[in-house]
């Protein structure tokens, strides 16, 4: 008897009972597994939905524009911020090429950037986005390829608005151009002023010296030829005339020297300050051979600067110290220095008459004097030259003193680099 005959020989009640037993067996064996799989699928669906919601919220709320492109550069997706911030509705641009919405001058650059991104070469470029009513915004685009089965099927692009920084950059560029124009104008003005100053210096040197020589010469003739005909007051007046003309000549020389120092270009090099101090001191002392002048030389680090101009600084300071120690039986001048960071602080101290610190602000001014001319000779230019030279080297100059207790003059210069060899001659 075959299977069919055997099945048919079983009556309907028995057949239904057998089928029922089979279904219960199947439910008992497979339903728990199916239920577990369905629950896992539902959990996965919920997580996917939540993840999609978070991603969508992120895309819709960030300031950057996120778009997707196909391989032809047509927009397949655009985040809502494109409409909210730039007036371009997603449905307005989806299906259109992105290049249709940017400035025509920037289209070749963007096209080349998208082609490079599809080929796997990351390239950031900037372009002008034409928003609603022709409003232009500067954007920077970053693109990455969408890959499927090893080939690029499109691009995901992030567009960042750089309008504010671009406008600031343009404003800075215009400001630089304006500053360059002003610098050029000021340079031209300075050149004209220098030429006028040179002409003025030439005039002083030639036109004023001639009458001074005449005054000095004729007053000398009067004193020599008419000495016996002049009374004591007349001779005194002639002496005053001659001393005044000599002082005027020195003043002219000092003004010309101040002018030359102000115009001369710096020729910087390492300077052996210790050797230069000794050399300049000997020259200054030789101008007053009848006096006892002592130099106490401490540590004097090398500096970097224009040796000729620094020599003038030292010469003027030594001259100043020797002048204001004239009433001392022995003039003592101390010179030392110390490195502080990238500069050297030098000090020259004397045991002279000193000055009142209430008037220290006048000390380095042109034609400023803290003592009467009948007490100490001078034109009030020497310390002004010192300040001019030091400031041109990027340094500072100051002084400290007490009346009748001497004075200390300080100035700073750039420190010489350790690998440089100092020099002490111009």
């Amino acid at each position: 008897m075959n299977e069919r005959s055997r099945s048919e020989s079983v009556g309907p009640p028995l057949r239904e009972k057998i089928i029922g037993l089979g279904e219960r067996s199947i439910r008992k064996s497979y339903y728990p597994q199916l239920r577990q799989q369905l629950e896992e699928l539902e959990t996965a669906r919920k997580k996917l939905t939540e993840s999609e919601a978070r991603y969508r919220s992120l895309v819709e709320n960030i300031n950057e524009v996120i778009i997707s492109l196909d391989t032809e550069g047509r927009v397949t997706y655009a985040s809502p911020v494109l409409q909210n911030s730039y007036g371009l509705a997603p449905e307005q641009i989806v299906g259109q090429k992105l290049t249709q919405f940017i400035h025509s001058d920037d289209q070749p650059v963007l096209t080349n950037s998208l082609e490079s991104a599809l080929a796997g070469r990351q390239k950031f470029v900037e372009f002008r986005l034409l928003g609603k009513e022709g409003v232009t915004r500067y954007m920077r685009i970053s693109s990455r390829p969408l890959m499927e089965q090893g080939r690029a099927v499109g691009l995901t692009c992030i567009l960042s608005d750089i309008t504010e920084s671009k406008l600031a950059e343009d404003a800075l560029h215009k400001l630089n151009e304006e500053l360059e124009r002003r610098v050029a104008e000021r340079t031209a003005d300075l050149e004209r002023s220098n030429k006028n100053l040179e002409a003025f210096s030439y005039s002083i040197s030639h036109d004023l010296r001639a009458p001074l020589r005449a005054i000095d010469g004729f007053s000398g003739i009067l004193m020599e030829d008419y000495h016996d005909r002049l009374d004591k007051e007349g001779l005194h007046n002639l002496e005053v005339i001659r001393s005044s003309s000599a002082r005027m000549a020195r003043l002219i020389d000092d003004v010309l020297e101040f002018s030359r120092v102000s115009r001369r270009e710096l020729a910087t090099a390492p300077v052996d300050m210790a050797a230069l101090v000794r050399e300049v001191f000997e020259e200054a002392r030789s101008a007053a051979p009848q006096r006892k002048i002592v130099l106490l030389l401490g540590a004097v680090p090398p500096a970097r600067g224009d040796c000729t101009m620094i020599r003038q600084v030292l010469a003027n300071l030594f001259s100043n110290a020797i002048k204001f120690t004239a009433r001392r039986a022995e003039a003592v001048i101390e010179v030392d220095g110390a490195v502080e960071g990238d500069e050297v602080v030098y000090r020259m101290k004397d045991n002279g008459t000193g000055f009142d610190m209430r008037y220290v602000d006048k000390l380095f001014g042109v034609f400023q004097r803290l003592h009467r001319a009948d007490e100490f000779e001078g034109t009030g230019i020497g310390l002004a030259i010192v300040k001019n030279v030091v400031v041109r080297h990027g340094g500072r100059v100051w002084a400290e003193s007490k009346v009748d207790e001497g004075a200390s003059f300080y100035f700073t210069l750039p420190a010489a680099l350790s690998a440089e060899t100092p020099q002490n001659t111009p």
Side-chain angles (χ1 to χ4, degrees):
M1 181 182 296
N2 57 32
E3 292 294 330
R4 182 177 181 181
S5 300
R6 190 178 304 157
S7 176
E8 288 178 352
S9 64
V10 178
L14 182 58
R15 187 166 58 249
E16 291 176 2
K17 185 177 181 180
I18 294 174
I19 292 173
L21 289 172
E23 289 177 352
R24 283 195 298 271
S25 177
I26 292 173
R27 290 193 195 101
K28 186 176 180 181
S29 301
Y30 295 103
Y31 274 22
Q33 298 180 17
L34 290 174
R35 187 180 297 108
Q36 182 179 356
Q37 291 175 359
L38 288 173
E39 289 175 353
E40 291 175 354
L41 288 173
E42 179 63 19
T43 301
R45 185 190 67 80
K46 288 181 179 180
K47 290 182 178 180
L48 182 61
T49 302
E50 292 172 357
S51 177
E52 181 182 356
R54 286 194 298 269
Y55 175 76
R56 183 177 298 277
S57 176
L58 176 65
V59 169
E60 293 178 354
N61 288 284
I62 61 173
N63 292 328
E64 281 76 10
V65 177
I66 298 178
I67 62 174
S68 297
L69 306 176
D70 62 16
T71 55
E72 300 297 323
R74 287 185 292 268
V75 179
T76 58
Y77 169 79
S79 59
V81 71
L82 192 62
Q83 178 177 359
N84 300 336
S85 300
Y86 307 102
L88 296 174
E91 60 270 15
Q92 179 183 350
I93 69 169
V94 170
Q96 307 295 325
K97 284 195 173 184
L98 180 60
T99 51
Q100 294 181 221
F101 302 92
I102 72 170
H103 196 285
S104 58
D105 292 345
D106 301 334
Q107 291 178 4
V109 175
L110 179 60
T111 300
N112 181 61
S113 171
L114 297 178
E115 291 176 353
S116 297
L118 282 171
R121 297 188 299 272
Q122 177 73 352
K123 194 172 183 180
F124 295 89
V125 296
E126 298 174 3
F127 63 87
R128 285 161 288 179
L129 179 69
L130 304 178
K132 185 179 180 181
E133 298 178 355
V135 176
T136 301
R137 303 293 292 182
Y138 290 89
M139 312 294 288
R140 178 183 287 119
I141 187 171
S142 169
S143 307
R144 291 185 178 276
L146 287 170
M147 307 299 292
E148 285 186 7
Q149 297 180 351
R151 66 185 185 90
V153 296
L155 292 169
T156 297
C157 307
I158 298 177
L159 280 60
S160 303
D161 194 325
I162 58 170
T163 303
E164 299 304 324
S165 62
K166 200 71 176 178
L167 293 177
E169 181 181 331
D170 292 342
L172 181 61
H173 180 69
K174 290 179 181 178
L175 178 61
N176 287 337
E177 289 181 344
E178 176 65 16
L179 289 175
E180 289 176 0
R181 182 186 65 80
R182 291 184 181 181
V183 168
E185 291 178 353
R186 296 291 175 84
T187 301
D189 291 341
L190 183 59
E191 290 176 353
R192 286 192 294 269
S193 297
N194 283 337
K195 289 180 180 179
N196 292 336
L197 185 58
E198 289 176 3
F200 178 69
S201 300
Y202 180 85
S203 176
I204 291 177
S205 179
H206 292 79
D207 298 344
L208 294 185
R209 287 181 187 277
L212 283 175
R213 284 193 296 268
I215 293 171
D216 183 64
F218 282 109
S219 61
I221 292 173
L222 284 173
M223 291 191 69
E224 183 176 348
D225 295 347
Y226 297 91
H227 185 273
D228 56 345
R229 302 183 189 182
L230 297 173
D231 58 13
K232 186 176 180 180
E233 184 177 356
L235 292 173
H236 172 72
N237 290 338
L238 283 177
E239 286 289 351
V240 171
I241 291 173
R242 296 199 71 187
S243 63
S244 296
S245 63
R247 185 172 182 275
M248 185 64 181
R250 289 196 301 272
L251 182 60
I252 291 172
D253 290 338
D254 288 346
V255 169
L256 291 175
E257 184 60 32
F258 183 81
S259 174
R260 282 192 290 268
V261 168
S262 300
R263 298 196 313 270
R264 177 180 170 180
E265 292 186 5
L266 294 178
T268 59
V271 179
D272 185 344
M273 290 292 289
L276 189 60
V277 166
R278 285 191 290 266
E279 184 178 329
V280 176
F281 171 74
E282 291 300 328
E283 294 174 359
R285 184 170 61 175
S286 65
Q290 74 284 1
R291 294 185 54 194
K292 185 177 182 181
I293 306 172
V294 177
L295 172 66
L296 301 180
L297 185 61
V300 183
R304 182 173 182 81
D306 187 306
C307 190
T308 301
M309 299 180 75
I310 295 174
R311 172 187 289 271
Q312 179 129 31
V313 168
L314 294 174
N316 287 1
L317 289 176
F318 273 124
S319 175
N320 189 76
I322 291 173
K323 176 171 63 177
F324 288 103
T325 56
R327 297 175 182 175
R328 303 289 190 250
E330 180 182 76
V332 179
I333 304 174
E334 302 176 32
V335 179
D336 53 31
V339 178
E340 296 184 3
D342 57 356
E343 67 178 7
V344 187
V345 179
Y346 297 99
R347 182 192 66 148
M348 183 179 294
K349 181 181 179 182
D350 64 63
N351 65 333
T353 187
F355 59 86
D356 192 332
M357 285 294 289
R358 289 181 298 175
Y359 308 108
V360 69
D361 292 340
K362 297 182 178 181
L363 197 61
F364 296 97
V366 179
F367 302 130
Q368 297 290 334
R369 291 174 51 83
L370 302 189
H371 300 84
R372 297 194 310 272
D374 58 350
E375 291 182 306
F376 299 98
E377 65 177 9
T379 59
I381 298 292
L383 292 181
I385 291 176
V386 169
K387 181 177 180 180
N388 188 303
V389 171
V390 171
V391 169
R392 290 193 62 192
H393 280 77
R396 299 164 289 123
V397 60
W398 68 97
E400 297 174 356
S401 178
K402 289 184 179 180
V403 176
D404 205 36
E405 294 186 16
S408 296
F409 288 84
Y410 300 85
F411 64 95
T412 66
L413 292 172
L417 302 178
S418 58
E420 295 178 324
T421 302
Q423 60 183 25
N424 68 334
T425 55

